[in-house]
Amino acid sequence: MLTSWNYRGMGSSEAIRSVLALVKKLSLEGGNPTPSKYIDDFVSLIEELEMADLGYHVSVDHVTTPSSDHVALAVYVSGKVDSGPKPFRFHEMWTKDPYCMDVIQHCCQTHVHGSPSFNMNSGLVELQSSLRVWNKTYFGNIFFQIKEAESALSSLLAGPVSDLVMVEIKNIKEDILELYKKDESNWNQHSNTSMVLEADNNIKFFHSNVSFRRRRNSIDKIQNEAGHTNVFCDKNRGIQLKEKQKPHAALFPSQATQNMAACSLFQPSPTSLLIPTKSKSKSKSPNHPFLIKACSTNSPDPSLIKHRRPADQNIREEARHNHLSSNTHGFSAKYVPFNADPTSDESYSLDEIVYRSRSGGLLDVQHDMEALKKFDGQYWKTLFDSRIGKTTWPYGSGVWSKKEWVLPEIDSDHIVSAFEGNSNLFWAERYGKETLGMNDLWVKHCGISHTGSFKDLGMTVLVSQVNRLRKLNRPIVGVGCASTGDTSAALSAYCAAAGIPAIVFLPTDRISMAQLVQPIANGAFVLSLDTDFDGCMQLIREITAELPIYLANSLNSLRLEGQKTAAIEILQQFDWEVPDWVIVPGGNLGNIYAFYKGFHMCKELGLVDRMPRLVCAQAANANPLYLHYKSGYSDFKSVKANATFASAIQIGDPVSIDRAVYALQNSNGIVEEATEEELMDAMAQADLSGMFICPHTGVALSALIKLRKSGVIGCNDRTVVVSTAHGLKFTQSKVDYHSKSIPDMSCRFANPPVQVKADFGSVMDVLKTYLSRDQKH
Ligand SMILES: N[C@@H](CCOP(=O)(O)O)C(=O)O
């Protein structure tokens, strides 16, 4: 051992401490020794030690002439150094772990047969050894546990990735995160201990140690998303980090670095940090392969980036590489006649271009439920939950996170998605309480979406299938739809994203300016037709029968496969608890069936045990379903739809009437209607509570108001109102309402702007009036 012995009493090893004790004794006896006197004393101390027979042999090989209060010594210590039992030290970090309390409680409860002091003493003795054992097993092998988990993860990632494997991957990643947390506590504890032991005793030693560690652990290059590395070298200091962040985190990982680790576990993080290895030091600094890993500056460790997407790959290619699109469980779906006789064997591949059954009826997408049922409800819930909010292609989408239930056979490579879905479920606290006396009212904001309406959910599916068919060289020259504004906006955007021509038929002057400009901006071929939606729908059906233009209206049952995911999402957002009521505005009536189908699948596959009751809400000016419902679903008669502020549901001959009736009959459903005044008041009143809804959502809220008044919906019923489009698409109707320019409408909740002269007195006057009025309220 080479050491520098400070005769004023500083040292570090056990042997030297023993020597120091004797030196101090000597000092007390003989006064403060001078350096030269000290050398003699030291030699005799060594002899004393020898004679004391402490179980080890100590000898001084060389002593320099002291030039300061430090003397260089070569001290040999051999034999067993018995420093006595290691003192028990209670670690603060233990208290942060819930299992620690179990250990403590167990030890406190086991000794109940002696006197209280005996019990306490026995408990403490046992606690001491139990905590030691627990600490060793729990914190002692984290490094190996991390290694094991990582290698399990690597093998899983290297093999074909099935859905079960994905769940396993997720679990392992979560385990690794937990281990990192433990590791962090462990090293925080150790850093504190080191500080107490070393820093207070030897500040210089501590700082030189820290400087060494800082140099060794500093970041010398940062790899960006494109795989390029920025090197930060400073000749004077060796290696220096230019970024604002200092690399202290590398010494003992902080919460921030843990969060970054978490980030990099689940998704490629924009920047990977590479730390140079200076030596195979015995540093206790933990080695975090996902975040910070030692690697040579010149030859980066390839394993460092094994979980990151290579720089020249995008998320779609990454999915391809990881076989994320493989349908290893053989899930499948086909078209069958809607509500078909179970004995019918009529069916079509989803790759066929077919919109009607042989008898001219509607079609439905039927999934192989037996294949899906091989996995229980818990499996599906876990799988769907694991995909929320990621950027993994294509599961980051609320629709494609349920891919197995939507289009199981499509290759992820063919999917056209804007990561739609995952829309906000808004707790309408104030509106619910003040307007309806309800405390569990929710608004599912499907309009907070890529093109501002729920149509995105269906359109991603339809355009993806078209994309696939075109890749399979099927002769599809474009995709067309008739629209009241939202379908055309969604179709145009998704087609533009995929480079597929979109053709939209719009009724002149019947859609909002915002809705009209959407397909125009997205490059669709826009036909403004002098008819209503029903006229446009009739025309597009005829045209698509003649030309190889794929029909994108919800007559095409593919659309509903995407739309049904909104229902699954609601359940998911309630942690798989079923609401009592779901209220959906209805026009062409595909959506009410889509909601039914989503809820029904969740029940059939064991994710939930019941269905909510459905309510379909129509504008009184376009109410064919309401009239049909009132007639007890006898003969359906289409109507001439009159102008309504809820222009997107101004439809008199809904394509999906049979689907809607089926959905309502099988969910103990109700149909309600709303006059123009009711729907506009409901919209304005909801807006005054902080929403900004579309008139169609106003129709749904009017239905709710009526059902609350009649007592059908109870004050504690958990109720979800589906908001179908973004309010910003319908600003003109709001402007008309708030400027009270709608004939025969009192506009009770209008809040028109006040014109005021731009001088202090005038502004004060109007404010005084306003504020005193406010106080009276
Ligand atoms: N409200 C729709 C009308 C068309 O309905 P769809 O279900 O066939 O898309 C629209 O926004 O165009």
Side-chain angles (χ1 to χ4, degrees), residues 455 482-487 533 553-554 559 588 648 651:
K455 303 286 181 178
S483 183
T484 51
D486 290 332
T487 301
F533 169 80
N553 281 101
S554 59
R559 280 262 311 278
N588 219 14
I651 297 169

Side-chain angles (χ1 to χ4, degrees), residues 409-429:
E409 288 158 290
I410 195 166
D411 195 308
S412 294
D413 236 12
H414 296 146
I415 288 175
V416 183
S417 167
F419 281 2
E420 48 291 307
N422 292 326
S423 59
N424 183 21
L425 184 59
F426 175 92
W427 178 38
E429 181 183 14

Side-chain angles (χ1 to χ4, degrees), residues 373-408:
K373 277 179 187 166
K374 286 189 185 136
F375 298 87
D376 65 9
Q378 191 52 49
Y379 168 85
W380 291 115
K381 290 194 269 190
T382 309
L383 183 68
F384 295 160
D385 287 348
S386 76
R387 292 170 173 170
I388 295 176
K390 307 289 192 310
T391 52
T392 314
W393 186 266
Y395 303 116
S397 152
V399 172
W400 297 107
S401 61
K402 283 99 189 164
K403 181 173 181 281
E404 294 79 358
W405 293 21
V406 174
L407 270 194

Side-chain angles (χ1 to χ4, degrees), residues 203-461:
I203 294 296
K204 215 168 167 187
F205 165 79
F206 178 77
H207 284 295
S208 66
N209 205 16
V210 167
S211 311
F212 163 72
R213 284 176 176 223
R214 185 174 294 150
R215 270 199 307 280
R216 188 197 56 212
N217 292 337
S218 66
I219 295 166
D220 73 335
K221 59 185 178 180
I222 293 181
Q223 183 174 308
N224 65 19
E225 225 175 341
H228 302 131
T229 48
N230 297 323
V231 179
F232 304 114
C233 280
D234 178 328
K235 275 187 221 132
N236 303 325
R237 196 181 156 242
I239 295 159
Q240 185 179 0
L241 179 68
K242 262 194 200 165
E243 304 294 296
K244 271 193 189 145
Q245 317 96 290
K246 288 284 179 190
H248 302 282
L251 292 172
F252 305 108
S254 66
Q255 192 56 49
T257 60
Q258 292 298 308
N259 291 343
M260 287 165 74
C263 210
S264 60
L265 273 172
F266 291 111
Q267 61 187 54
S269 84
T271 308
S272 51
L273 302 178
L274 309 183
I275 297 179
T277 294
K278 290 290 182 207
S279 66
K280 281 185 186 160
S281 127
K282 286 178 199 145
S283 156
K284 288 175 178 176
S285 184
N287 205 3
H288 285 187
F290 290 101
L291 170 66
I292 295 174
K293 183 167 181 170
C295 73
S296 143
T297 310
N298 299 326
S299 53
D301 179 351
S303 66
L304 181 69
I305 51 170
K306 68 185 173 184
H307 302 305
R308 294 188 191 286
R309 172 163 46 80
D312 58 352
Q313 256 186 30
N314 56 43
I315 54 170
R316 192 190 286 277
E317 287 160 342
E318 183 183 44
R320 190 187 306 144
H321 178 77
N322 291 335
H323 310 282
L324 287 181
S325 59
S326 53
N327 177 17
T328 47
H329 298 296
F331 301 128
S332 65
K334 60 187 179 189
Y335 293 122
V336 296
F338 172 74
N339 198 14
D341 175 345
T343 59
S344 156
D345 60 359
E346 185 182 344
S347 71
Y348 307 90
S349 153
L350 297 188
D351 287 345
E352 284 187 59
I353 300 173
V354 53
Y355 314 117
R356 289 274 187 192
S357 71
R358 276 201 288 268
S359 65
L362 293 163
L363 292 176
D364 198 18
V365 173
Q366 187 183 72
H367 288 265
D368 178 352
M369 296 302 278
E370 291 317 307
L372 293 173
K373 277 179 187 166
K374 286 189 185 136
F375 298 87
D376 65 9
Q378 191 52 49
Y379 168 85
W380 291 115
K381 290 194 269 190
T382 309
L383 183 68
F384 295 160
D385 287 348
S386 76
R387 292 170 173 170
I388 295 176
K390 307 289 192 310
T391 52
T392 314
W393 186 266
Y395 303 116
S397 152
V399 172
W400 297 107
S401 61
K402 283 99 189 164
K403 181 173 181 281
E404 294 79 358
W405 293 21
V406 174
L407 270 194
E409 288 158 290
I410 195 166
D411 195 308
S412 294
D413 236 12
H414 296 146
I415 288 175
V416 183
S417 167
F419 281 2
E420 48 291 307
N422 292 326
S423 59
N424 183 21
L425 184 59
F426 175 92
W427 178 38
E429 181 183 14
R430 197 171 146 228
Y431 182 84
K433 204 186 286 174
E434 292 178 11
T435 310
L436 300 158
M438 296 178 81
N439 59 22
D440 213 359
L441 174 63
W442 301 78
V443 178
K444 175 70 173 164
H445 278 298
C446 295
I448 302 179
S449 180
H450 180 55
T451 69
S453 86
F454 74 97
K455 303 286 181 178
D456 293 344
L457 305 176
M459 211 52 84
T460 179
V461 177

Side-chain angles (χ1 to χ4, degrees), residues 650-672:
Q650 188 185 333
I651 297 169
D653 191 9
V655 161
S656 289
I657 181 70
D658 294 345
R659 291 173 176 147
V661 172
Y662 180 92
L664 291 160
Q665 285 182 330
N666 286 284
S667 65
N668 193 13
I670 294 173
V671 186
E672 260 301 346

